[in-house]
């Protein structure tokens, strides 16, 4: 169950301000931030929306601070089985509950201790090398469980977060363990301790949310199908913040420290909240992102995760978030206070001089942070930092200004500036994603095609098809490579075969789009009236929309194909008055795969 008591007062702030509904980009990610782990992140994956976590009330608040009994049960089980991370810095309630569990086990029957051993054996067998990812799989599972004593998944197993499916079979062992030691009674006994910690986090969290929205000139919305949820669990390590995006739910799981009591990593909560506010604005303009794709080539050697090297919308979002954080960071200098009473002109003169000095000192610190962000791969941090400064000066909201930021960008200029950057060997620790992983197979081939290495991508596709002619991703890649190489017949064969093999909605939708483009360029543009090839193309574009991939770029490409036939960019040898493309690059780019989601 989720405690609603302390949520209510926080939600009054949110409910008292109305905001227009914003469309959300469906996604799923899971991660942990842990200073003791060099990398404890999971790769951000865009996927169809999942059922909401916990309970949500239409017309209620979009932002809440809660506790969860299923999460408590799994956290207690981990503690009973040797999870001691950051115990010395935890709130006192963690040690108290551990002691009570140990006392219950000491007086329990031999069968109860055997049950505990079986539970711990399962946890050991499923331990991951990365402590953050190991913890994340249990947190992911807890967010999709019904309240005790049932503790059953609230969705089909195929709809559970991918990492949680690795440990879902812990549930029978957990139910038995909880019954043996009467874990629910321990939970009820310490409910007051949990509420007291929620009280301590409530006001700083409210201030962080309000300050962020004031800076962005955005109201806090009531529930519109999207939620920002902070879950407090003191049985976990205070050094760990676990953030994830499930469908339209943005969730942060935190543990308060013991000294000072109740302190959490508010900067990491705020970072996730910036994702919640900014992502819908960026993804709503996904159709305008294609012109920014050349920027991704400039960061292929930067210390960024695969997501940000391949997904332009995710890359733009993170750059914008970094810029907001630079503008609003604590620079270490105290801002002068305006005199409450001005008795003579010198009072204001002194204040204005002190304020100007503070601004100079703070701007120096902020610029150093932006420079660091750029060298870590966020090459648009400087561009957005300057744009946000102008936004502040104009007194407009980010929602009003973001279109100009995106559409007005001089891509060639920013690309040239990015090419001059010498990247650091290690990047920043973005905890709202998975750990970087070694690319292999078709993932690596997709990157080769995106970079323009058509021959390398073709070779990998051929090798994969020799090993398995029915590999859907290999057929999909081969078809697009053949389009770039000017072999439409072979492309048609591989793309049609992809339709019979693929299950992924995005692959299916874009296969239909590429087939539609193939039929469009096969028609005779001089022929008047309905053309059979155009009829086929329209059918493919409609089929792409029917797949309901849910991604804005898919919808935009299919609708554009329905509106007008796809035309190849003109080459130099066409020798007419149309815009020329001597290298044929534009034609290749037209068949370049969309950014992996």
């Amino acid at each position: 169950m989720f405690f609603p008591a302390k949520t209510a007062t926080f939600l009054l702030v949110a409910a008292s301000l109305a905001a227009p509904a914003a469309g959300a980009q469906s996604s799923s990610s899971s991660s942990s931030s842990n200073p003791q782990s060099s990398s404890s992140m999971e790769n951000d994956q865009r996927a169809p929306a999942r059922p909401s976590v916990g309970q949500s009330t239409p017309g209620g608040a979009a932002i809440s601070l809660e506790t969860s009994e299923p999460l408590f049960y799994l956290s207690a089980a981990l503690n009973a089985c040797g999870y001691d991370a950051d115990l010395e810095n935890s709130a006192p309630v963690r040690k108290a509950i551990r002691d009570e569990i140990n006392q219950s086990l000491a007086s329990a029957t031999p069968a109860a201790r055997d049950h505990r051993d079986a539970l711990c054996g399962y946890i050991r067998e499923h331990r991951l090398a990365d402590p953050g990812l190991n913890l994340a799989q249990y947190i992911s599972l807890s967010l999709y469980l019904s309240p005790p004593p049932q503790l059953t998944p609230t969705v089909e197993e195929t709809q559970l977060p991918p990492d949680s499916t690795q440990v879902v079979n812990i549930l029978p062992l957990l139910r038995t363990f909880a019954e043996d030691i009467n874990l629910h009674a321990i939970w009820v006994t310490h409910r007051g301790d949990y509420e007291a910690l929620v009280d301590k986090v409530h006001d700083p969290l409210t201030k962080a949310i309000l300050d962020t929205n004031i800076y962005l000139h955005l109201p806090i919305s009531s529930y519109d199908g999207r939620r920002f949820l902070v879950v407090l669990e003191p049985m976990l390590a205070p050094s760990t913040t676990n953030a994830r995006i499930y469908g339209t739910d943005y969730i942060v799981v935190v543990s308060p420290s013991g000294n000072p009591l109740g302190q959490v990593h508010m900067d990491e909560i705020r970072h996730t909240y910036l994702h919640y506010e900014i992502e819908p604005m960026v993804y709503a303009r996904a159709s305008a992102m294609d012109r920014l794709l050349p920027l991704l080539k400039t960061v292929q050697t930067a210390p960024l995760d695969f997501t940000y090297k391949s997904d332009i919308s995710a890359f733009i979002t993170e750059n914008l978030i970094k810029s907001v954080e630079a503008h609003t960071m604590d620079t270490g200098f105290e801002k002068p206070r305006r005199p409450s009473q001005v008795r003579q002109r010198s009072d204001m003169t002194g204040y204005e001089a002190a304020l100007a000095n503070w601004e100079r000192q703070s701007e120096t610190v902020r610029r150093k942070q932006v420079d660091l962000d750029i060298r870590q791969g966020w090459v648009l941090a400087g561009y957005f930092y300057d744009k946000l400064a102008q936004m502040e000066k104009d007194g407009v909201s980010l929602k009003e200004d973001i279109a100009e930021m995106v559409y007005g960008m001089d891509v060639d200029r920013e690309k040239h500036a990015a090419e001059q950057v010498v990247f650091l060997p290690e990047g920043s620790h973005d905890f709202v994603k998975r750990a970087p992983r070694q690319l292999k197979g078709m993932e690596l081939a997709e990157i080769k095609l995106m970079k323009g290495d058509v021959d390398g991508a073709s070779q990998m596709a051929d090798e994969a098809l020799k090993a398995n002619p029915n590999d859907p991703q290999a057929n999909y890649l081969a078809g697009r490579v053949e389009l770039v190489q000017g072999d439409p017949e072979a492309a048609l064969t591989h793309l049609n075969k992809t339709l019979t093999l693929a299950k992924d909605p995005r692959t299916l939708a874009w296969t239909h789009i590429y087939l539609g483009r193939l039929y469009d360029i096969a028609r005779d543009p001089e022929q008047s009236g309905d053309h059979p090839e155009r009829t086929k193309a329209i059918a493919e574009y409609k089929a792409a929309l029917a797949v309901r991939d849910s991604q804005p770029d898919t919808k935009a490409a299919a609708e554009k194909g329905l509106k007008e036939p796809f035309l190849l960019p003109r080459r130099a040898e066409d020798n007419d008055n149309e815009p020329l493309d001597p290298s044929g690059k534009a034609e290749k780019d037209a068949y370049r795969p969309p950014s992996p989601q």
Side-chain angles (χ1 to χ4, degrees), residues 419-500:
E419 289 170 343
Q420 315 310 310
V421 177
V422 178
F423 297 117
L424 296 174
E426 294 185 6
S428 59
H429 182 66
D430 181 18
F431 59 96
V432 192
K433 53 185 172 61
R434 291 184 191 158
R437 52 195 171 89
Q438 184 68 36
L439 298 181
K440 58 184 179 180
M442 290 300 97
E443 290 177 332
L444 185 58
E446 290 283 358
I447 291 296
K448 285 182 178 292
L449 183 57
M450 190 182 74
K451 290 181 178 180
D453 183 3
V454 179
D455 292 338
S458 177
Q459 181 180 351
M460 294 190 72
D462 289 343
E463 291 173 355
L465 288 172
K466 287 178 183 178
N468 179 11
N470 293 323
D471 183 330
Q473 291 303 318
N475 276 280
Y476 179 52
L477 178 67
R480 284 174 292 137
V481 166
E482 287 152 354
L483 284 175
V484 175
Q485 293 174 333
D487 189 353
E489 294 298 328
L492 193 67
T493 299
H494 279 118
L495 291 174
N496 276 316
K497 189 169 183 179
T498 301
L499 292 179
T500 67

Side-chain angles (χ1 to χ4, degrees), residues 63 90 263:
I63 304 168
S90 296
Q263 187 176 73

Side-chain angles (χ1 to χ4, degrees), residues 305-481:
D305 286 354
F306 171 64
T307 298
Y308 300 113
K309 294 181 180 182
S310 57
D311 184 339
I312 187 62
S313 295
F315 180 69
I316 294 297
T317 299
E318 198 64 30
N319 274 274
L320 189 47
I321 288 173
K322 293 288 184 184
S323 303
V324 172
E325 289 175 333
H327 266 289
T328 56
M329 67 184 292
D330 181 0
T331 61
F333 300 103
E334 185 176 356
K335 186 176 183 179
R337 294 186 179 182
R338 186 184 184 89
S340 57
Q341 293 183 344
V342 180
R343 296 176 179 174
Q344 51 188 356
R345 175 59 186 167
S346 60
D347 292 341
M348 283 303 298
T349 302
Y351 163 72
E352 289 167 356
L355 184 63
N357 185 57
W358 171 83
E359 184 56 49
R360 282 193 300 271
Q361 291 175 317
S362 297
E363 182 64 10
T364 299
V365 175
R366 295 189 198 109
R367 283 289 178 183
K368 285 183 179 179
Q369 180 60 50
V370 171
D371 291 342
L372 176 61
D373 291 337
I374 291 172
R375 295 192 64 199
Q376 290 176 334
W378 310 112
V379 295
L380 292 178
Y383 169 80
F384 284 122
Y385 182 87
D386 293 338
K387 288 293 183 180
L388 288 171
Q390 186 61 47
M391 182 190 81
E392 290 184 62
K393 183 178 179 181
D394 295 342
V396 297
S397 71
L398 179 61
K399 189 170 185 178
E400 295 171 306
D401 211 34
I402 192 170
E404 192 279 330
M405 291 183 185
V406 173
Y407 295 115
M409 185 187 301
D410 185 337
V411 178
D412 289 338
R413 176 181 176 181
E414 298 305 322
K415 181 173 181 287
H416 176 73
E419 289 170 343
Q420 315 310 310
V421 177
V422 178
F423 297 117
L424 296 174
E426 294 185 6
S428 59
H429 182 66
D430 181 18
F431 59 96
V432 192
K433 53 185 172 61
R434 291 184 191 158
R437 52 195 171 89
Q438 184 68 36
L439 298 181
K440 58 184 179 180
M442 290 300 97
E443 290 177 332
L444 185 58
E446 290 283 358
I447 291 296
K448 285 182 178 292
L449 183 57
M450 190 182 74
K451 290 181 178 180
D453 183 3
V454 179
D455 292 338
S458 177
Q459 181 180 351
M460 294 190 72
D462 289 343
E463 291 173 355
L465 288 172
K466 287 178 183 178
N468 179 11
N470 293 323
D471 183 330
Q473 291 303 318
N475 276 280
Y476 179 52
L477 178 67
R480 284 174 292 137
V481 166

Side-chain angles (χ1 to χ4, degrees), residues 534 537-539 541-542 545 557-565:
R534 177 59 181 162
I538 290 174
Y541 296 133
K542 288 181 177 179
L545 291 172
E559 288 179 344
K560 185 177 181 181
L562 289 173
K563 185 178 179 181
E564 58 186 11

